[in-house]
Amino acid sequence: MLFRGSRYEGTPLREHTRGDGEPVSYVGLRLIPDRRGATGHVVEQGERLDHIAHAELGDPEQFWRICDANRAVRPEDLLAPGRRLDVPGV
């Protein structure tokens, strides 16, 4: 159900039974990984998070790992020029 490389990969699936007896599946709580071992990246004017993820992690779709490492809900909040980002290890 969850694709490989997804931020939810490895998150347990849960099931809830509604009042009418119908089971409903859902994804359980996803814990944010520890930042230990993170390297740094200073944001330059015009950079995008997918470009940073490609340069630092080798995969633009892993931008969410940078969001997690910086405790960001909104990715655009991380892109102020001069901001130092924590980048998790590969």
Side-chain angles (χ1 to χ4, degrees):
M1 179 173 149
L2 303 171
F3 67 90
R4 187 174 184 85
S6 161
R7 70 179 70 198
Y8 298 102
E9 178 182 15
T11 304
L13 295 178
R14 306 277 189 218
E15 190 171 279
H16 170 76
T17 304
R18 299 186 329 191
D20 62 2
E22 179 77 21
V24 177
S25 296
Y26 64 97
V27 178
L29 181 65
R30 181 181 75 91
L31 300 177
I32 304 296
D34 193 344
R35 300 189 260 211
R36 280 181 278 191
T39 60
H41 176 91
V42 178
V43 177
E44 295 180 16
Q45 182 70 39
E47 276 193 299
R48 292 183 359 204
L49 211 49
D50 59 332
H51 292 168
I52 296 169
H54 176 69
E56 299 284 345
L57 302 172
D59 183 353
E61 293 183 359
Q62 297 294 306
F63 72 90
W64 59 266
R65 294 181 60 213
I66 297 171
C67 292
D68 282 357
N70 292 276
R71 306 294 193 255
V73 176
R74 296 169 20 129
E76 60 272 17
D77 292 344
L78 299 176
L79 297 176
R83 179 176 176 156
R84 184 188 175 284
L85 299 177
D86 288 333
V87 178
V90 207

